[in-house]
Amino acid sequence: MAEVYYVGVDVGTASVRAALVTRAGRVESTAEQPISIWEPLTDHYVQSSTEIWDKCCTAVKRVTRGVERSQVRGIGFDATCSLVVLDQSFQPVPVSRDGDPQRNVVMWMDHRAAEQAARITSAGHGVLSRVGGVMSPEMQPPKLLWLKENLRARCWNQASHFLDLPDFLSWKATGSLTRSLCTLVCKWTYCPSEGWDAGFWTSIGLEDLLENNFSKIGNVTCSPGSPLGDGLSQEAAADLGLETGTAVGASLIDAHAGGLGVIGADVKGFNLPCEHQPITSRMAMICGTSTCHMAISEQPLFVPGVWGPCLSAMVPGMWLNEGGQSATGRLMEHMVKGHAAYTQLQEEARHRFPLNGENLYTYLNSHLSSMADSGSAVDLLGSSLHVWPDFHGNRSPLADPNLKGMVIGLPLSQTLDDLALLYLATIQALALGTLHILEAMKEAGHDIRTLFLCGGLSKNALYVQIHANATGLPVVLPDQKEAVLIGAAVLGACASQDYSSIQEAMERMAKVGKVVLPDGELQSFYERKNKVFLRLFAHQREYQALMSQR
């Protein structure tokens, strides 16, 4: 009997990736295509939906080369929660003052709408209870308000369709404008049981979105993985090199796809504290440019500064809370590349690992091990250097996009050792940030006993070990490195009806690869480190108060 396959497509911040995945969750082939990012102004980041779709098609054709089209049973898409703007004819509408119509996507990390987000927060509407009490500039309502207030003639008046990027991809594939509950509930304030809150949109000055039963932002919804329309349209099938009618699952935000790709794995035999416990005892961390912290519950839990609870936003029928850090991999890169010893690091890494394209962090991890005393943990090297990591604001649990980063303990020297220590302190700060999110979730009622990591940073052994050490929890890594793509493929598998539910597909297609245990001897070290970490935040608040005095 011929093998059947599912295609998962992941549109990340800077690239499109695709994978051909078997029914058992094995990745047979992958392909990657870069996508452009433009920064017309500070904190303005834009992309092109036309380019993104073209790159999706190229990647899918590459991974399906060599298999019969009839063997591909379904396809699923995930993407960043970026905002796509189209006109009445579904053509791109510019989202920047330069007026380039191809640049029609406001990226997730675009913070141009910080002032609009603050206004929405200060108004205190009831929908804010579902986003941790604070409206983030990374959500869609403030971005929409910014477009209306700043690009009314060129963009707002021309726009007929505002879509989250995951929903744009499923529309492009099927012609269906049905929106995924994942996007609408998590980023648009939609409530599955009540629908859109007309009073909220009117109160923030976007009453025109109520026209035609909210047609511009979507009035038909479904759970992730639900089959859309009649499957691939004839045009999309030709673009992707697949059969017309191939099942297409309702899409997910990229981080949520990563959650599907890891959180449901069978953990029998690994002696983990989450074994024989409900799936609610697990938290998925999707670690890349930024990091998302996904926890699910059977009943709604309200966590201050953490998005949600969102019903059916990741696992149908369950409530999702989503914490996050706006800059993680991006912050590590910023710290390393901005250091005076960066050129020396490049040379040393190239000499040490000439065939390894990911050699910089590999070299730094090795260099830190050589700096540590014999038998001493690398972590202890960070005892006198401390970082507050919110260089791009704090998403959770403080929910303050205006916070900035801090570094305490810098010497006058700028050697390679200094660079390595700054890199270490940055990772430790990110891990302590995760600890704070965990503590906020625990206080609200979550009982998280195990972390499940995926994404680019999960391939960094030091990042993973320090997260285990700082949180005191075991970390599970997937057996397939491309867990986000597995999650996207799960959507296609569910839409094909080869599996009866998302839960069944998750359990069959996600598998444990490796378990990283915390070093119990470092508990007191991280307790002390955490006290310093919290004082950094207190000092920053004090500095802000002093400088705001007139």
Side-chain angles (χ1 to χ4, degrees):
M1 188 174 178
E3 177 73 84
V4 298
Y5 300 100
Y6 314 100
V7 173
V9 180
D10 165 49
V11 179
T13 300
S15 69
V16 169
R17 300 183 305 146
L20 186 69
V21 182
T22 68
R23 184 179 171 87
R26 185 179 68 254
V27 175
E28 291 290 318
S29 60
T30 61
E32 185 169 6
Q33 291 284 302
I35 49 179
S36 304
I37 299 173
W38 294 279
E39 188 180 2
L41 295 169
T42 300
D43 277 344
H44 289 225
Y45 298 95
V46 298
Q47 291 181 312
S48 163
S49 65
T50 301
E51 181 194 37
I52 289 170
W53 177 251
D54 288 345
K55 295 299 179 71
C56 288
C57 296
T58 300
V60 170
K61 285 178 178 177
R62 288 187 178 176
V63 298
T64 55
R65 190 182 299 154
V67 301
E68 295 294 328
R69 294 185 178 189
S70 60
Q71 290 178 268
V72 179
R73 298 270 299 152
I75 184 171
F77 296 90
D78 74 73
T80 63
C81 49
S82 300
L83 176 66
V84 182
V85 186
L86 304 175
D87 66 15
Q88 190 171 5
S89 302
F90 296 95
Q91 296 303 303
V93 175
V95 293
S96 298
R97 290 190 172 93
D98 59 19
D100 186 337
Q102 289 305 313
R103 301 180 185 183
N104 68 315
V105 179
V106 183
M107 290 186 68
W108 67 270
M109 62 184 185
D110 186 304
H111 279 196
R112 71 178 73 180
E115 189 268 331
Q116 285 77 9
R119 265 192 278 145
I120 294 172
T121 296
S122 64
H125 194 278
V127 301
L128 295 177
S129 67
R130 299 194 291 270
V131 293
V134 178
M135 180 59 67
S136 167
E138 294 177 13
M139 292 186 174
Q140 308 304 10
K143 290 177 179 174
L144 292 167
L145 185 56
W146 188 96
L147 292 174
K148 181 176 182 179
E149 292 178 346
N150 293 274
L151 293 176
R152 183 186 290 264
R154 184 170 290 170
C155 174
W156 188 258
N157 293 342
Q158 306 304 316
S160 292
H161 304 281
F162 298 102
L163 300 103
D164 227 89
L165 183 53
D167 290 321
F168 165 80
L169 295 172
S170 58
W171 163 75
K172 194 71 175 171
T174 65
S176 171
L177 283 170
T178 298
R179 313 296 179 98
S180 170
L181 285 174
C182 175
T183 58
L184 290 198
V185 174
C186 291
K187 306 301 176 186
W188 297 70
T189 75
Y190 185 84
C191 177
S193 60
E194 301 171 13
W196 294 113
D197 190 318
F200 166 69
W201 295 103
T202 300
S203 72
I204 67 172
L206 294 179
E207 63 283 348
D208 28 356
L209 293 180
L210 277 61
E211 297 172 3
N212 300 317
N213 190 27
F214 296 94
S215 64
K216 289 185 178 181
I217 56 176
N219 50 31
V220 180
T221 66
C222 67
S223 295
S226 301
L228 291 175
D230 296 319
L232 285 180
S233 67
Q234 186 173 355
E235 181 181 357
D239 288 345
L240 294 163
L242 299 174
E243 281 191 338
T244 300
T246 299
V248 179
S251 56
L252 282 169
I253 298 167
D254 55 349
H256 301 63
L260 281 192
V262 294
I263 202 169
D266 184 354
V267 298
K268 290 187 182 73
F270 288 92
N271 197 30
L272 288 164
C274 65
E275 189 174 354
H276 307 303
Q277 299 295 323
I279 196 173
T280 54
S281 65
R282 311 175 183 192
M283 184 170 80
M285 284 180 56
I286 298 81
C287 324
T289 305
S290 62
T291 293
C292 294
H293 302 72
M294 307 288 193
I296 54 179
S297 57
E298 295 178 354
Q299 300 298 325
L301 297 175
F302 293 85
V303 187
V306 172
W307 297 340
C310 303
L311 180 61
S312 297
M314 185 170 76
V315 180
M318 302 199 78
W319 296 85
L320 172 72
N321 284 112
E322 179 188 350
Q325 294 165 308
S326 294
T328 49
R330 188 171 171 222
L331 177 61
M332 290 163 60
E333 181 181 27
H334 171 76
M335 294 297 228
V336 170
K337 287 188 173 181
H339 198 277
Y342 177 63
T343 301
Q344 182 186 353
L345 169 64
Q346 288 180 299
E347 293 171 354
E348 295 283 352
R350 194 178 299 116
H351 176 72
R352 180 88 173 270
F353 304 108
L355 300 179
N356 185 353
E358 301 293 328
N359 54 32
L360 295 184
Y361 294 155
T362 304
Y363 179 85
L364 283 171
N365 293 350
S366 175
H367 189 76
L368 284 166
S369 294
S370 70
M371 291 173 62
D373 294 333
S374 178
S376 178
V378 164
D379 309 54
L380 301 178
L381 294 171
S383 60
S384 60
L385 185 61
H386 309 281
V387 173
W388 181 262
D390 294 330
F391 285 56
H392 197 51
N394 183 286
R395 187 187 298 170
S396 307
L398 303 174
D400 186 347
N402 297 313
L403 282 178
K404 304 299 180 186
M406 297 175 69
V407 183
I408 301 294
L410 286 172
L412 195 58
S413 58
Q414 292 182 316
T415 65
L416 186 55
D417 283 1
D418 295 318
L419 169 52
L421 291 175
L422 182 60
Y423 161 76
L424 171 64
T426 301
I427 294 176
Q428 290 176 324
L430 293 171
L432 290 171
T434 290
L435 176 62
H436 289 173
I437 293 169
L438 282 165
E439 289 173 340
M441 288 186 172
K442 182 178 180 180
E443 191 171 336
H446 281 283
D447 180 21
I448 295 164
R449 306 186 184 190
T450 309
L451 304 180
F452 288 70
L453 267 62
C454 67
L457 289 180
S458 70
K459 301 167 190 176
N460 184 322
L462 186 64
Y463 178 91
V464 173
Q465 185 64 64
I466 288 177
H467 271 74
N469 295 343
T471 63
L473 297 177
V475 173
V476 174
L477 300 176
D479 75 327
Q480 300 285 313
K481 292 183 178 180
E482 305 298 346
V484 176
L485 288 168
I486 295 284
V490 163
L491 300 174
C494 194
S496 73
Q497 301 184 335
D498 289 347
Y499 289 110
S500 62
S501 66
I502 286 283
Q503 288 89 331
E504 182 190 4
M506 274 196 310
E507 187 171 342
R508 297 287 183 84
M509 296 176 72
K511 295 178 174 61
V512 174
K514 181 181 179 182
V515 174
V516 178
L517 298 175
D519 184 342
E521 294 184 2
L522 293 171
Q523 180 179 350
S524 61
F525 169 78
Y526 277 105
E527 287 175 352
R528 296 193 305 274
K529 184 95 174 168
N530 189 40
K531 289 179 180 178
V532 175
F533 189 73
L534 291 173
R535 287 181 183 177
L536 289 181
F537 170 63
H539 287 323
Q540 182 164 168
R541 283 286 196 239
E542 183 181 349
Y543 301 154
Q544 288 176 330
L546 285 171
M547 295 308 295
S548 64
Q549 293 177 3
R550 294 181 180 275

